[in-house]
Amino acid sequence: MSTFETLHISDLWIKKLQKQGIKEPTPIQEQAIPSLLDGRDLIGQAQTGTGKTLAFLLPILEQIDVESQTVQALIVAPTRELARQIADETHKLIRNTEQYRALAVYGGQDVFKQIQRLGRMPQIIIGTPGRILDHVGRGTLDLSELRTLVLDEADQMLQIGFLPEIEDIIEAAPVDRQFVMLSATMPPKVEELAKTYLRNPVEVQVEAESI
Ligand code: ADP
Ligand code: MG
């Protein structure tokens, strides 16, 4: 059995997790974290509630270059609610660290306030497809230095009809980025998207009842 230590997660994050009562990695975390820390692309399938957020978030935090004032990780979620949840989980971890900055950008928030906050150089952006592209189009979100792109709830994303937006986001990111896709189910459309854009991905699959 792995621990967060044996998965090479830093003490800083382990302590923050412990404060939230999180002591052991879930199976999806155990399987995904090593490959993500290696910089591999990954497609992960696991039911809701299995801990997929930390599975991609911890490797992102480990790989952030705090000296660099660029957007390094982009997490795309299908709905405001999901984007907000991921942002909350991120902020819970980076609170009081100072060097780490994350920002949620989704529709319904004041766009000019977001632009102001984007100017504070967050390294991690969490958002919904439309608002992310809005900022890319305005030139207020620069994805040219992106290292990791996460597509959360890929099945929901395609079901809503976000494929064109997803492809535009992929186009705005560098070719040489880590690409991570998470999904509760694996319909053909999700497999096709993965086949088109992931490079030699690690495939991780976890059955229900993992926590
Ligand atoms: P998913 O994205 O797979 O639906 P989440 O990442 O939202 O699941 O996690 C579901 C819940 O489990 C959250 O409340 C989260 O804080 C908690 N959780 C995540 N990882 C662990 C862990 N290793 N141990 C205990 N609880 C965890
Ligand atoms: Mg999730």
Side-chain angles (χ1 to χ4, degrees):
M1 252 253 326
S2 307
T3 62
F4 286 114
E5 268 126 27
T6 61
L7 293 175
H8 302 289
I9 299 302
S10 306
D11 269 358
L12 171 65
W13 309 123
I14 292 177
K15 283 190 187 125
K16 300 257 183 188
L17 291 171
Q18 276 170 348
K19 280 192 188 147
Q20 299 173 39
I22 295 177
K23 297 181 182 108
E24 301 294 336
T26 64
I28 185 89
Q29 291 160 8
E30 193 172 10
Q31 290 181 50
I33 287 172
S35 298
L36 292 177
L37 287 176
D38 274 349
R40 296 283 303 270
D41 282 5
L42 182 140
I43 174 130
Q45 184 192 353
Q47 290 303 310
T48 302
T50 49
K52 294 192 288 299
T53 310
L54 287 174
F56 61 75
L57 195 55
L58 291 171
I60 284 175
L61 290 170
E62 291 292 344
Q63 293 179 90
I64 292 293
D65 175 2
V66 293
E67 304 293 325
S68 172
Q69 307 273 324
T70 56
V71 173
Q72 296 166 48
L74 176 66
I75 301 161
V76 190
T79 65
R80 295 174 193 182
E81 184 51 39
L82 285 164
R84 190 181 306 128
Q85 278 174 26
I86 298 164
D88 286 349
E89 211 159 328
T90 308
H91 281 119
K92 258 200 253 171
L93 285 169
I94 67 176
R95 191 183 295 150
N96 302 326
T97 58
E98 285 179 23
Q99 294 142 299
Y100 294 86
R101 294 174 302 279
L103 180 67
V105 296
Y106 43 79
Q109 293 174 318
D110 184 313
V111 81
F112 295 103
K113 221 172 256 171
Q114 281 176 3
I115 290 171
Q116 213 173 26
R117 290 180 179 151
L118 283 163
R120 290 184 209 141
M121 301 298 173
Q123 302 121 335
I124 304 169
I125 302 287
I126 304 119
T128 46
R131 188 56 69 96
I132 289 168
L133 283 175
D134 182 356
H135 283 294
V136 171
R138 288 169 189 262
T140 46
L141 174 57
D142 178 10
L143 299 180
S144 65
E145 300 292 320
L146 195 74
R147 293 173 172 192
T148 303
L149 173 62
V150 178
L151 215 59
D152 197 17
E153 308 275 1
D155 49 358
Q156 250 195 76
M157 202 94 80
L158 295 181
Q159 207 171 15
I160 295 171
F162 276 138
L163 181 60
E165 285 85 353
I166 290 165
E167 292 188 316
D168 286 349
I169 290 170
I170 293 169
E171 291 267 303
V175 181
D176 187 27
R177 76 283 177 263
Q178 180 178 41
F179 195 175
V180 186
M181 276 176 57
L182 288 314
S183 204
T185 61
M186 206 53 68
K189 276 187 180 177
V190 174
E191 279 182 10
E192 205 178 300
L193 185 70
K195 216 190 262 171
T196 308
Y197 293 107
L198 302 189
R199 292 161 309 176
N200 186 24
V202 175
E203 292 174 36
V204 170
Q205 201 176 1
V206 163
E207 302 305 319
E209 284 186 74
S210 293
I211 291 190

